[in-house]
């Protein structure tokens, strides 16, 4: 049987640029899928070196335009740990409210992204309006607490720039309670449309371990550096020429690729069942309700008279600080080391780098025309995944060594 090669480059409906290369048999069935980022390297992690700790969250929140909140939070959490800071309870609650509201907002954006795949023409206006209503309410929460939703200025090392007022708290609770019916209807609408899309039952299924650190926020204790490793793309994809075009390395836990994101979190912490494209979409929709409940719970717990930010010594402990945040697309890990008031090491392991390798195997055994549905189910954000390269001038090759401490 002959094998042909099908290439989609660049792929569409995602952040950044990627390439999907598929080996296809005579029947049009994918025998091997290779999906990788071709977004140009930017090197944000290198830009923060030898600068004050406060520089890192400002620059690293720009790693991705879709997930600026999770990157800001992962950065300040890493710096908090590197500086030996204990964030006040109110500051922690405000961060958690911000993330849960953002995750609802981001999942709604994802539903707009997949609308051409699952929404019929007669319901398109209804679905888009529903997305807009959900986003407007949750973005208001993020703007009120974090300063703004795109580049949140009030998420700071040590906590938050300030606590919110009692009136703001009441307004946020009222806004979220008013959203309940709309959000529930939105979730049911999306689930119904996804089921009716009738994707093949096994499309996008992967049999890999799950990596989810927390139900809604993030837990650095769940990330074990001793179990973490990275491999170069040419080794992972088994095709050196293909691998050389990729701009990311492949992160592994216990030597294995892992699945992160809403389906992984929902299975681990909420008993969700099912795998594949359909289940990924359903889990993402249902997680909106989990995040919604978390926003109201944390708002109720918040003491608006309590301090939201700790004083700290910016000189640093010299120890590696790890920040772990459950972003919409998966687990986001930032790491930092500060010595004598300057950042000496910084690295980010972003959600997309965990998930990209799962998409290759997830396309295999299906028509190549179905492969883009797998990509959109996992919602890759390629510019998020592209960080730094190191050139070996002697061997004339690229080597990514940003994990060396």
């Amino acid at each position: 049987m002959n094998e042909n090669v099908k290439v989609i480059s660049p792929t569409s409906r995602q952040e950044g640029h990627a390439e999907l290369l598929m080996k296809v048999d005579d029947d049009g069935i994918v025998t091997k899928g290779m999906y990788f980022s071709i977004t140009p390297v930017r090197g944000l992690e290198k830009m923060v070196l030898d600068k004050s700790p406060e520089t890192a969250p400002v620059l690293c929140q720009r790693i991705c335009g879709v997930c600026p909140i999770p990157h800001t939070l992962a950065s300040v959490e890493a710096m908090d740990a590197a500086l030996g800071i204990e964030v006040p309870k109110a500051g922690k609650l405000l961060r958690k409210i911000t993330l849960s509201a953002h995750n609802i907002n981001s999942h709604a954006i994802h539903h707009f992204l997949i609308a051409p795949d699952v929404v019929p023409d007669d319901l398109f206006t209804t679905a888009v309006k529903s997305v807009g209503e959900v986003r407007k309410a949750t973005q208001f929460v993020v703007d009120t607490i974090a300063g703004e939703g795109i580049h949140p200025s009030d998420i700071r090392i040590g906590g938050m720039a300030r606590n919110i007022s009692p009136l703001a708290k009441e307004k946020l609770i009222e806004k979220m309670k008013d959203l309940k019916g709309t959000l529930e209807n939105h979730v049911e609408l999306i689930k119904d449309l996804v089921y009716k899309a009738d994707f093949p039952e096994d499309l996008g299924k992967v049999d890999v371990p799950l990596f989810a650190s927390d139900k809604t926020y993030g837990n650095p204790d769940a990330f074990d550096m001793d179990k973490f490793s990275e491999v170069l793309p040419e080794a992972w994809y088994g095709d050196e020429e293909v691998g050389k075009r990729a701009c990311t390395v492949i992160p592994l836990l216990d030597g294995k690729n892992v699945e992160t994101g809403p389906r992984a979190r929902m299975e681990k912490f909420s008993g969700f069942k099912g795998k594949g494209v359909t289940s990924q979409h359903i889990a993402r929709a249902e997680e909106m309700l989990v995040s919604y409940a978390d926003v109201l719970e944390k708002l109720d717990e918040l003491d608006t008279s309590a301090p939201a930010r700790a004083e700290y010594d910016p000189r640093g402990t010299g120890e590696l600080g790890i920040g772990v945040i459950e972003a919409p697309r998966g687990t986001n890990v930032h790491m930092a080391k500060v010595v004598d008031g300057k950042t000496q090491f910084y690295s980010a392991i972003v959600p997309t780098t965990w998930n990209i390798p799962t998409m290759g195997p997830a396309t295999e055994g299906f028509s190549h025309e179905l492969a883009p549905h797998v990509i959109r189910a996992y919602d890759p954000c390629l510019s998020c995944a592209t960080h730094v390269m190191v050139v070996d001038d002697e061997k004339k090759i690229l080597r990514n060594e940003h994990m060396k401490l």
Side-chain angles (χ1 to χ4, degrees):
M1 183 179 294
N2 296 323
E3 280 193 327
N4 304 305
V5 175
K6 300 285 185 182
V7 179
I8 301 176
S9 180
T11 58
S12 61
R13 280 193 268 157
Q14 76 209 6
E15 165 106 5
H17 297 82
E19 182 168 304
L20 174 61
L21 187 150
M22 297 168 285
K23 293 184 177 179
V24 180
D25 65 21
D26 291 339
D27 296 321
I29 302 302
V30 178
T31 59
K32 185 172 184 178
M34 290 172 280
Y35 180 75
F36 47 88
S37 171
I38 53 174
T39 300
V41 173
R42 297 167 300 159
L44 284 165
E45 293 146 308
K46 294 299 181 184
M47 295 180 192
V48 307
L49 299 183
D50 296 319
K51 296 180 176 66
S52 67
E54 292 81 6
T55 305
V58 176
L59 289 183
C60 292
Q61 65 184 203
R62 288 160 169 80
I63 283 176
C64 178
V66 178
C67 282
I69 297 293
H71 282 296
T72 309
L73 288 168
S75 185
V76 295
E77 290 279 344
M79 282 300 180
D80 289 339
L83 298 172
I85 301 170
E86 184 174 347
V87 177
K89 181 179 179 180
K92 202 74 170 179
L93 286 172
L94 288 166
R95 287 181 179 181
K96 291 179 177 181
I97 295 165
T98 300
L99 181 64
S100 286
H102 167 79
N103 280 3
I104 299 171
N105 182 12
S106 189
H107 287 346
I109 294 173
H110 175 81
H111 294 151
F112 180 78
L113 178 77
I114 67 166
D117 294 338
V118 301
V119 182
D121 291 342
D122 61 327
L123 287 176
F124 204 87
T125 300
T126 299
V128 171
K129 182 180 178 182
S130 181
V131 166
E133 290 174 346
V134 171
R135 292 199 61 212
K136 184 178 180 180
T138 51
Q139 190 64 44
F140 179 82
V141 176
V142 173
D143 290 344
T144 300
I145 296 176
E148 55 185 312
I150 304 303
H151 298 131
S153 57
D154 289 350
I155 301 174
R156 306 282 182 87
I157 294 173
M160 302 291 287
R162 62 189 63 82
N163 205 332
I164 60 174
S165 69
L167 181 60
K169 174 179 172 177
E170 290 178 14
K171 192 169 184 178
L172 293 180
I173 291 174
E174 180 183 357
K175 178 76 73 172
M176 291 304 288
K177 286 184 175 179
D178 288 344
L179 177 64
K180 183 179 181 183
T182 298
L183 181 60
E184 289 174 343
N185 290 337
H186 175 81
V187 169
E188 288 307 309
L189 172 66
I190 295 300
K191 288 170 63 176
D192 183 58
L193 292 173
V194 168
Y195 282 128
K196 287 180 177 177
D198 197 26
F199 294 115
E201 183 179 352
D202 291 335
L203 180 65
K205 280 189 176 181
V206 289
D207 185 21
V208 298
L210 304 180
F211 178 38
S213 69
D214 189 74
K215 186 176 182 179
T216 54
Y217 189 70
N219 178 12
D221 293 336
F223 180 71
D224 188 343
M225 276 293 294
D226 292 334
K227 295 181 179 180
F228 174 75
S229 62
E230 289 180 311
V231 296
L232 293 170
E234 52 261 46
W236 176 262
Y237 293 112
D239 188 319
E240 187 171 346
E241 293 306 310
V242 169
K244 284 180 179 178
R245 296 205 299 275
C247 295
T248 65
V249 291
I250 309 301
L252 307 174
L253 287 178
D254 274 336
K256 299 178 181 178
N257 173 222
V258 296
E259 177 191 346
T260 71
R263 203 207 65 78
R265 287 190 293 266
M266 289 294 287
E267 178 177 326
K268 185 172 181 178
F269 298 107
S270 299
F272 183 85
K273 304 297 182 183
K275 295 184 177 182
V277 167
T278 296
S279 294
Q280 187 71 258
H281 289 317
I282 299 301
R284 181 175 279 108
E286 291 186 355
E287 190 179 49
M288 297 173 87
L289 299 177
V290 174
S291 296
Y292 173 82
D294 190 64
V295 170
L296 282 177
E297 177 187 318
K298 299 301 190 296
L299 278 170
D300 182 65
E301 190 179 350
L302 177 67
D303 178 358
T304 58
S305 66
R309 193 180 187 196
E311 297 290 334
Y312 60 90
D313 184 341
R315 290 175 295 180
T317 64
E319 300 296 323
L320 183 68
I322 299 177
V324 178
I325 292 294
E326 289 297 326
R329 290 151 193 84
T331 309
N332 187 24
V333 180
H334 283 221
M335 293 173 282
K337 183 183 290 187
V338 179
V339 179
D340 295 330
K342 302 295 182 182
T343 302
Q344 298 301 315
F345 171 79
Y346 202 94
S347 181
I349 311 163
V350 301
T352 297
T353 53
W354 298 111
N355 288 329
I356 281 179
T358 70
M359 296 181 207
T363 63
E364 294 166 16
F366 295 93
S367 167
H368 65 277
E369 295 176 348
L370 289 171
H373 293 292
V374 178
I375 294 172
R376 290 191 282 272
Y378 283 86
D379 191 15
C381 190
L382 280 307
S383 60
C384 189
T386 306
H387 300 290
V388 65
M389 65 182 179
V390 176
V391 179
D392 186 328
D393 290 324
E394 183 178 337
K395 295 183 178 180
K396 304 298 182 184
I397 59 175
L398 300 180
R399 291 202 178 279
N400 193 318
E401 297 181 321
H402 72 281
M403 282 307 301
K404 281 191 174 181
L405 300 181

